[in-house]
Amino acid sequence: MYSLDKRNSQDNPYRYINSFAKFGSKDGYKPGLERIEQLLAYFGHPESKLKIIHVAGSNGKGSTIAFLESIYYSAGYRVGAYTSPHLLEFNERIRVNKELITTTELAEIVAEIKAAVKWLSTTPYGRPSYFEIVTVIAFLYFYRKGVDLVMLEVGLGGRLDATNVIKKPLLSVITSISLEHTAILGDSIIEIAREKAGIIKSNCPVLTAVNNKDALEVIRELSVNNKATLKSIDNLFTFILKESGLEGQVFTLKYRGLGLKAAGLEEGKNREKFKELEGDYFIKLAGKHQLRNAVLAVAVVAENTPEFKVDKQDLIAGLKTAFIPGRIELFSKKPQVLLDGAHNPESLSSLIEFLLSNTGELGKKIVVLSILKDKDIFAMIRLFKLLDSVELIITDNGNERALPPEKIKSIADELGIPNLLYPDIRTAIKQALLKISEGDFLCITGSLYTVGAAKKYLLSNNS
């Protein structure tokens, strides 16, 4: 739908964008804000003319943004969303009112950017990375589309991420913190928290769903240093799961008001602002972990008034319709095929918890698995021992950062988890589908890249 013929088009924007080094390749990670500052200055700093909610975290960024995007869209605002990575098409990364940027719009911006990149490449700053270029495209697009509000997802870390070029967000949001990208962000929760909390700006409110004590203390410290009011959803609300299944869940939200001072609240008007949000909510996204993301989005909406007022009915509608593909996504019922982009121990643990709660009466559980190199592989694979009647179908998702499947197999063998190895994801899925019968369950996971490759194959096979 969004592809151009790479053989015949000299103006193919995807070809140009893909010419820049991606994360995981040489020069694909360029921490620092100097290059993107120069590029944005070339275009008159479009990012400074946007109202932005900046979202960082180890897990939950995409889901939190999906909730916020849907809520503000339901309330009638013109909403921009910038997320990564994409699942099927590049254009998924840049959206306005849930509509993807078109190839024509992308080509127009790319045509303008080329001169700026050519100039920058002759300076000591050098050629930008893939992520830097895409971030500039997003800012230019949102500015020219006249959006009311932008949901901006951090790419990696926070402090040195290209998105952190923004000076004055409406809110800084930190979803969760766990060990990831340790070679870059640090090998402790405290170090990683400091990198992610680097998005906190002077006098800009901070909202978080982080519940790790050490990480939360780092966020608190940086908030105080920046005179930024900090609110934690655990101070603000209690939320209780009422119903859960493959097609969504219902939870009850109640105002808690514990530690008002620590939460940056005072009695009176602020208290009522949060208390009026009490009630039952339905979300389409499955998995208990999505409750924290949904509640965080509710807290963001409450904090972001009165400038961006949202009626409770719009809040209910936005939460109900929010969807993000590849996150505990039930692709088909017969056979039962579940797609989930769990990419680290924390997110995989959430998936396993969901499977234990919702697939207990099923027979065999077949898991097609491919993981990226820079993950805690042993901790991830060990989690599958929690499942009864599980068999891993280990493969390669085709991404340049994919871990050789032989290494995954050696760990599965060491842990005594039944497994088979196939060289590519198409073969792995074919073989997995042959192995399951009625009452069995197929889950494809390990990375969003794994889910993207699998979904492309499954869609083409069903068409």
Side-chain angles (χ1 to χ4, degrees), residues 34-52:
E34 303 87 356
R35 285 166 305 283
I36 194 165
E37 280 272 13
Q38 294 296 316
L39 283 173
L40 290 168
Y42 188 98
F43 291 102
H45 283 291
E47 82 288 356
S48 67
K49 299 159 189 169
L50 297 168
K51 294 183 177 180
I52 295 171

Side-chain angles (χ1 to χ4, degrees), residues 396-457:
D396 187 324
N397 62 27
N399 186 273
E400 59 270 17
R401 291 166 56 202
L403 186 73
E406 293 79 9
K407 292 190 176 181
I408 300 175
K409 180 173 175 52
S410 68
I411 295 173
D413 288 342
E414 179 185 342
L415 291 168
I417 301 173
N419 69 86
L420 294 169
L421 187 152
Y422 293 98
D424 62 84
I425 199 156
R426 287 173 171 251
T427 306
I429 294 171
K430 281 181 186 176
Q431 294 302 317
L433 289 170
L434 288 173
K435 290 176 71 68
I436 62 174
S437 54
E438 189 173 350
D440 294 341
F441 191 88
L442 172 60
C443 180
I444 302 172
T445 190
S447 166
L448 277 174
Y449 295 105
T450 304
V451 168
K455 195 167 185 180
K456 281 183 179 179
Y457 169 70

